[in-house]
Amino acid sequence: MYRPCLAVGFLVVMTCTAALAAPPPAGDRAEAFAVCAGRLSALSVRQAAEGDPASAVTGQMSADFDMLLAAVLPEADSDTQAQRWRVDGWLQIAHLLARNQYADTPRRRDLAAVRMAQRIDTCRRMILGR
């Protein structure tokens, strides 16, 4: 009599554990990959314009995110939503770069630099795991 309840309880616990361990849906991953590809692409362009040798590494990371995007969303090159996500990532970094350079107070410039670093770090941790 207690065995069916125990079995049901075990199944509920196992199902909840599996649900928590499951990767995010492909759409969520596609959005994250596209946004990061855009962010890193914008940063790479800026670095290249300034002669920063890190632009090659940043550009490669952007290409890596494009590859991951294509893996979860094979039609990403022609998908309008994927392109919007990528542009959104680009604009996030472009806006923060502009604020960092042209803000009217040092506090605003520093805040823009911190926010940009956080967004880029979020992307780097997705690939590098740190």
Side-chain angles (χ1 to χ4, degrees):
M1 181 143 124
Y2 293 107
R3 291 186 195 269
C5 290
L6 183 61
V8 168
F10 177 75
L11 288 174
V12 167
V13 169
M14 292 306 291
T15 302
C16 290
T17 303
L20 292 173
D28 291 349
R29 285 179 284 163
E31 180 177 4
F33 295 154
V35 167
C36 283
R39 287 176 181 173
L40 290 161
S41 179
L43 181 58
S44 176
V45 168
R46 176 60 174 262
Q47 289 171 331
E50 293 176 342
D52 186 341
S55 68
V57 173
T58 306
Q60 182 57 53
M61 286 184 72
S62 177
D64 291 345
F65 275 107
D66 281 330
M67 180 186 63
L68 291 169
L69 175 59
V72 295
L73 188 65
E75 67 278 358
D77 287 340
S78 62
D79 185 79
T80 305
Q81 185 58 53
Q83 294 304 315
R84 285 184 187 137
W85 289 329
R86 197 172 196 287
V87 168
D88 183 50
W90 177 283
L91 291 174
Q92 289 173 14
I93 298 305
H95 174 76
L96 291 169
L97 284 166
R99 285 190 67 125
N100 179 254
Q101 187 167 356
Y102 300 113
D104 56 349
T105 66
R107 182 181 173 281
R108 287 184 178 175
R109 287 190 293 273
D110 292 344
L111 187 58
V114 167
R115 286 184 178 159
M116 183 179 62
Q118 289 170 338
R119 290 183 182 166
I120 295 299
D121 187 54
T122 297
C123 296
R124 285 191 173 133
R125 282 184 287 128
M126 271 190 229
I127 288 181
L128 303 175
R130 323 180 226 175

